[in-house]
Amino acid sequence: MPFTTTHLRLISPLIHPSSPSIRSLVSANTKPFRLSASSAAMDSNSSCMLVLSGKSLAENEIAESLKSNSTLKLPDNSEVSIHLQSEIVKQESFDVELFMNSLATNRFGRLLIWSPRLPSTHDVVSHNFCELPVGAVCVADVQFKGRGRSKNAWESPKGCLMFSFTIQMEDGRVVPLLQYVASLALTEAINYVCSRDGLPCLDIKIKWPNDLYLNGIKVGGILCTSTYRTKKFNVSIGIGLNVNNEEPTTCLNAVLRKLSDSTYQFRREDVIAAFFNKFETFYDTFINQGFQTLEELYYKTWLHSGQRVIVQEKNEDQVVENVVTIQ
C-alpha cells in the first residue's frame, strides 16, 4: 500500500493519527518445584523465569528443545531461567490449562511462554524470533519495560493482560494493516466472551490506529514491529489490555461491575484464547481476500464515525486544507 502526501489533522481531541496516508485509516533442572506469587517479587536485576508449554505433543517437543538447549535469551543478556509447565507444582497466576483448553487454533498461541515478571514480552519474541515457531506467544503477569508507539512507556501492573506473538509475512505492503486486524480481533474477542457468558455488552471501541477505548477511556493498545530477513517480514505483535487492573485508567472488570450484579469477572486466559481464535480467522481472511473484507466490521467497531477532521493535501508548493466528516 503506497503512502501519499495526504495528511490529517483532527478536530476531535480523542484521536491523534500520525500516518501520512488517509488510505491507511482503513535451566536444566527437571525436578518439580513450587511456584508462588512471591516469584513475581523479583526486581529488575533478578533472573527472569520463563515457563514453556504447548497445545500438542509437537509444541511440547519444541518447548523441551528450547529448554534443553537454553535457546531463549533477553536483549540485554541478563540471566534467564527456563522451565517446562510440567515441572510446575503450583502456580498462583496465569492458568495455562484454562488457556490451552479454550484455544482452538491451528497456528497461533499453541506454544506459550509465560513469566511472572519480565522487562517486556515484546523483547522475548522479537529477540528470539528465529528460534520460535510462527504464532508463539509470550505472556507476563508483570512487565517493567513495556512500550507503546513512538517509544511511549506502557504501564503494566498486575491484572493487565500483556502478551506478544510472532507472525511471518511476505508482502510488505500489507504489514501495516496487521495492527487493524489485531485491534478488530481483540474487540471481537471481548464481545464473544460477553455473549458466551451472558454478560452485558461492553462499549469497546477501536481508536485509530491501534488503541482500544472503553466508555471513552483507554484500556488497551497494540504495538507491531517488524524486521526484514531472507525475503520475509518477521512481525512481532504486542498487546496490552486492562482486564483486572483499575490503574492507571480503568479495566474491563471495573466497568462490568457497574453494569451487572453478577460476580463474574473476565479472566485473562479467556480473553487471550478468544483473541487468538478470532485473530486466526481474521488473519486468514485478510491474507486471502484483503482487508476490504473486514472493513465493514472494522468501521462498526471504531469510534470515529461522525468526527470532523482536517484533510491536508500538498499540491506542488501549496497545502490545501478541507474539513470533512468521517463516514
Side-chain angles (χ1 to χ4, degrees), residues 296-312:
E296 183 176 355
L297 181 58
Y298 182 87
Y299 290 139
K300 287 181 179 179
T301 308
W302 77 340
L303 56 77
H304 305 301
S305 295
Q307 288 186 328
R308 299 177 67 206
V309 300
I310 295 175
V311 180
Q312 294 182 338

Side-chain angles (χ1 to χ4, degrees), residues 165-184:
F165 64 101
T166 62
I167 282 187
Q168 199 167 61
M169 302 181 68
E170 296 182 355
D171 188 353
R173 296 172 298 178
V174 299
V175 169
L177 297 177
L178 267 178
Q179 61 185 332
Y180 307 148
V181 180
S183 299
L184 182 59

